[in-house]
Amino acid sequence: MFDKNIYQKRREELVQKVGNGLILLLGNDDVAYNYKGNTYAHFRQDSSFLYYFGLQQAGLAGLIDAESGDVTLFGNDLTLEDVVWMGPHPTLAERAAGVGVTKTAPFAQLAPQLAKAKSASRSIHFLPPYRYRNMLLLHQWLGIPVEELGKKASVALIKAVVSQRSHKGPEEVAEMEKALAVTAEMHLAVMKGAKAGRVEAELAGIAEGIAASHGGYLSYPIILSINGHILHNHDHSNVLKNGDLLLGDFGAETERCYAGDITRTFPVGGKFSQKQKEIYEIVLHAEMLAIKSCGPGIRYRDIHLQAARNMSEGLKQLGLMKGDLDEAVAQGAHALFFPHGLGHMIGLDVHDMEDLGEQYVGYSDSVHRSDQFGTAYLRLARELEPGFVFTVEPGIYFIPELIDQWRAEKKFEAFINYDAVEAYRHFGGVRVEDNVLITKDGHRVLGPPIPKLVQDLESLIS
Ligand code: GLY
Ligand code: MN
C-alpha cells in the first residue's frame, strides 16, 4: 500500500464529493476454484476498495459516513485455528491503522449498521457489484433484487469515484511505470523465445511466470496467438512456424494492482514478408501518429477517427480500400479491418473502472457513445485531461467471417475492394499498443521502450 495520508486524503475528497448518507465500499472475498476450501491462488481485491483502503485481504468492507466523515473498516481477525493453518497475521485494527483508519468492527456488525441507516431513511451509496458474493450480500442487506443492483447503484458515488480515479497521482504513475517495466520484460522474453516448433502456451507460460515472479500477476488473461485477428483469443494451442505473425497482448499487474497493457506483433523467425511489413507499417504509423496527437483537451474519439482515417489511407494504397475515405470512415467502412476502439483508460483495472460503467468513464454529458459497428466499441471518447492514463492500440485484422458476411451483403462496396481483400484471408491480425499519460501540456508514453520498429523487431528476433 501507499502512505496512509494518501488514503486519508482520497476518502476526505470522496466525502466532500458525495456529501450525504453512507458510502459502502465492499472488498472482495476469496473465490472457490473447484470446491470451497480450494480457492483461486491469486486473490484480487476490488479496485475501488483498494483505491480508498489499500488493503489486500479478503472479506473486508469500508463504511464512510459522508456527513460526519466517520470511517469504519469491517472484517474479521483470525481465529487460533486459522493461525494454525495460515500463520499469524496483523489484526484488523493494525491493518486499518496502516491506512489511517482508527475504527474497526467485526464483519457481522455491518448488517445491523446498514439496517439502522435504512430505517432512518439515510441513503446508502454503493457501487455496481460484479461478483456474486457481493451481489448476494447487497441483496440481503438492502433488499434490492440481484438483477436490479446495477441500476440501483449510486450515480453520485460512481461519478465521485470516477472523477478521482481518472486522474492518476504521481504515486500511481510510478506504480504503472513499474507494471510496464515487468510487462517489457515479459514481451522481450516472448520475442526472444518465439522459435519455430514451440507452442504458444510455452510462451504464455514464460510471460505469466515473469509477472508472478515480480510479486504481482497478470493484469488480464494473456492473448498470444498466431490468430491475432481473433481479438480476445485465449487459445494457446498452436505450434509456431517460421513466417507466422504472432500477436502478443499481455501485461503485468503490480503487487499494488496497477496494470500494464502492451501489444506487439512480429513474425516468428524474425523476418517480415513484404505483405506483413506493409500492413504492420500502416498500423505502426497510425499508432505513433495517434500518440503524437494526444494532449489535454483533445477528444479521444477524434484521435480514434484520425487513426481509422490514417489506416484507411494505407489500405487504399494497397488497393484494399477505395473511394472517398472521409466518407468511408464517417460511414464506418474501416471497421471491416479495425473493428475495435483505439483505447481505454488504464490504472487499477486494465479497462479502468469498467465495472462502474463506461458511460461515466469514457464519455461525458457532451460526448455520447456511437452506435456504429466499430466505433461503438470505443471505451474512451471524451476530452483527455492531465492525469489520464490510457492505451493507444490501433490494429488491422482480416476476420474471414466478417469479410464473408459483409461481402454477401454487398456492404460498403464503394469503399472496399473485396477481391483484393481475399488475398489476405489467412493473414491474421496486427495490433501495436502502448500506454500514455496526459500531462499539463502534452503526453508521455509510460514504461521502458519495447521494440516496435520493423528493423528493431527483426534484429531482436532473428
Ligand atoms: N488488452 C486487452 C484489451 O484491451 O481489451
Ligand atoms: Mn488494451
Side-chain angles (χ1 to χ4, degrees), residues 220 249 261-263 343-344 350-351 391 393 431 433 435:
Y220 53 98
D249 178 348
D261 178 2
I262 296 286
T263 307
H344 50 85
V350 62
H351 291 175
T391 67
E393 49 177 312
R431 178 164 64 254
E433 174 179 29
N435 302 170

Side-chain angles (χ1 to χ4, degrees), residues 40-191:
Y40 280 94
H42 179 74
F43 169 72
R44 181 52 158 84
Q45 186 56 285
D46 173 74
S47 296
S48 291
F49 182 87
L50 267 182
Y51 185 80
Y52 294 102
F53 290 96
L55 296 171
Q56 293 282 7
Q57 289 69 44
L60 303 176
L63 193 64
I64 304 174
D65 189 317
E67 286 151 43
S68 68
D70 229 38
V71 182
T72 311
L73 185 72
F74 293 85
N76 296 328
D77 281 319
L78 294 190
T79 61
L80 182 61
E81 216 173 302
D82 294 331
V83 172
V84 170
W85 291 95
M86 296 184 290
H89 284 64
T91 62
L92 182 65
E94 285 164 345
R95 292 189 203 280
V99 290
V101 177
T102 50
K103 257 180 143 167
T104 60
F107 197 82
Q109 284 185 20
L110 180 52
Q113 285 233 16
L114 293 173
K116 202 167 111 199
K118 224 177 127 208
S119 62
S121 299
R122 295 194 72 193
S123 304
I124 300 172
H125 301 274
F126 64 91
L127 296 173
Y130 53 90
R131 287 208 183 174
Y132 292 113
R133 173 256 190 184
N134 287 355
M135 290 179 195
L136 289 174
L137 286 177
L138 287 169
H139 166 66
Q140 280 169 15
W141 292 336
L142 308 178
I144 300 170
V146 166
E147 62 279 10
E148 285 177 25
L149 284 165
K151 54 179 191 286
K152 292 275 168 70
S154 162
V155 173
L157 178 59
I158 291 172
K159 287 186 170 175
V161 172
V162 169
S163 71
Q164 287 184 267
R165 283 182 56 190
S166 293
H167 299 92
K168 271 64 181 176
E171 73 287 351
E172 296 185 280
V173 172
E175 201 59 26
M176 297 186 77
E177 298 268 19
K178 270 196 231 165
L180 286 162
V182 179
T183 301
E185 198 180 320
M186 292 156 71
H187 276 272
L188 288 173
V190 166
M191 286 172 184

Side-chain angles (χ1 to χ4, degrees), residues 378-440:
L378 183 60
R379 301 179 192 283
L380 173 61
R382 53 171 295 182
E383 288 89 359
L384 302 174
E385 294 178 11
F388 281 17
V389 182
F390 53 91
T391 67
V392 179
E393 49 177 312
I396 291 180
Y397 314 89
F398 294 88
I399 304 167
E401 297 78 3
L402 190 62
I403 295 167
D404 290 345
Q405 178 160 336
W406 281 29
R407 184 168 203 172
E409 288 171 0
K410 302 187 189 309
K411 202 164 165 166
F412 297 130
E413 280 186 326
F415 306 121
I416 292 164
N417 186 350
Y418 285 104
D419 284 338
V421 171
E422 267 314 307
Y424 288 78
R425 170 173 284 274
H426 303 293
F427 183 94
V430 171
R431 178 164 64 254
V432 181
E433 174 179 29
D434 285 296
N435 302 170
V436 174
L437 163 73
I438 295 297
T439 58
K440 226 167 58 251

